[in-house]
Amino acid sequence: MDSVKVIEIKKSVFASNDKDADNLRKELKDKKIFLLNLMSSPGSGKTTTLIRTINLIKDKVGVAVMEADIDSDVDAVKIKEATGIQSIQLHTGGMCHLDAEMTRQGLDNLDTEKTDLVILENVGNLVCPAEFDTGSTCNAMILSVPEGDDKPLKYPLMFSVCDLVLINKTDVLPYFDFDMEKCEKNVHMRNPKAEIIPICAKTGEGVDKFAEWLLKKIKEQKQQ
């Protein structure tokens, strides 16, 4: 039987995306725009967290949001109605992640003239979004208490690429077998430099610390 020629394309695809991402990151830095790539599982509370956070900082910095989903515009509409800021929806055409070119297309449809911070709410998934560099300034992810404190062990890449981990839904800690200390240890096992902020998007507890983190990062970029 004749052998079948196998072409390894994964490396070249990632290499091309990494180059695009680096170029985009440089352009954003030159424009003094901070791009946050926010990732998580579906239902972890990304949109609710963003609404609370944006309402805390929107009078201090110019903010815009790009909502990425396979379909619908539910989250983009929700963000716009709850905060009044610029919000657009990105449909991925069935893909479970965004890459640098998709992110650029979204940015091209935003008015960034007076924007200091663009937040990309990535597709809900703990695997694919972590594999593709979007060109973001920083990566953050939300882990919700009901998901369990062992997620950093099961999804190592996601926690390895994130500068910040938000542990959401702390209000339900009494009802779940979730060990905060163990979770933080598991996160730092994957990424010793990751910052961790426990929050409750529903009540607002801890969200001010996330807002302060963002404002600090935006200020640092502008001073570079």
Side-chain angles (χ1 to χ4, degrees):
M1 182 180 293
D2 292 338
S3 60
V4 175
K5 185 177 183 181
V6 178
I7 303 173
E8 293 289 346
I9 63 169
K10 186 174 182 180
K11 183 177 179 180
S12 63
V13 168
F14 283 127
S16 176
N17 182 69
D18 288 347
K19 183 178 179 180
D20 290 342
D22 286 340
N23 290 337
L24 178 56
R25 198 159 19 247
K26 184 180 184 304
E27 292 172 23
L28 291 171
K29 183 178 180 180
D30 291 342
K31 294 178 181 178
K32 304 297 183 183
I33 295 174
F34 188 95
L35 174 61
L36 178 72
N37 177 30
L38 183 62
M39 301 174 283
S40 79
S41 317
S44 66
K46 288 195 300 298
T47 306
T48 304
T49 299
L50 288 183
I51 289 171
R52 280 203 177 266
T53 306
I54 290 166
N55 281 330
L56 287 174
I57 66 175
K58 66 181 182 181
D59 293 332
K60 300 175 182 178
V61 291
V63 188
V65 171
M66 300 188 292
E67 289 285 342
D69 283 299
I70 292 174
D71 205 350
S72 89
D73 62 357
V74 173
D75 289 341
V77 171
K78 189 181 295 184
I79 290 280
K80 188 172 184 179
E81 290 179 346
T83 67
I85 68 160
Q86 188 179 183
S87 175
I88 63 172
Q89 186 74 48
L90 306 180
H91 284 169
T92 64
M95 299 180 72
C96 59
H97 68 275
L98 288 183
D99 60 22
E101 178 55 31
M102 296 174 188
T103 303
R104 182 186 292 279
Q105 290 178 41
L107 289 165
D108 287 344
N109 284 276
L110 285 174
D111 180 2
T112 58
E113 186 175 347
K114 296 182 179 180
T115 301
D116 305 293
L117 168 66
V118 176
I119 301 173
L120 169 62
E121 183 177 336
N122 216 313
V123 181
N125 190 309
L126 287 182
V127 181
C128 302
E131 295 180 335
F132 289 85
D133 191 341
T134 60
S136 64
T137 312
C138 281
N139 292 321
M141 70 90 60
I142 298 178
L143 171 66
S144 64
V145 167
E147 294 175 75
D149 53 35
D150 59 355
K151 283 297 178 290
L153 304 180
K154 296 181 177 181
Y155 298 92
L157 183 60
M158 173 59 72
F159 291 85
S160 297
V161 302
C162 286
D163 304 281
L164 174 68
V165 175
L166 300 172
I167 301 178
N168 191 25
K169 304 187 181 181
T170 55
D171 57 324
V172 299
L173 274 170
Y175 310 104
F176 287 87
D177 184 18
F178 186 100
D179 187 321
M180 184 66 73
E181 185 176 346
K182 183 185 294 184
C183 183
E184 292 182 359
K185 182 179 179 180
N186 289 340
V187 170
H188 286 142
M189 184 188 302
R190 298 303 187 190
N191 185 351
K193 295 182 179 180
E195 295 187 56
I196 301 172
I197 303 177
I199 66 168
C200 178
K202 183 178 180 181
T203 66
E205 183 180 0
V207 177
D208 58 329
K209 294 180 181 179
F210 176 39
E212 290 170 5
W213 182 89
L214 272 174
L215 292 174
K216 179 184 176 182
K217 292 295 182 180
I218 294 167
K219 182 178 180 181
E220 287 175 352
Q221 173 158 298
K222 287 186 178 296
Q223 292 175 341
Q224 291 179 359

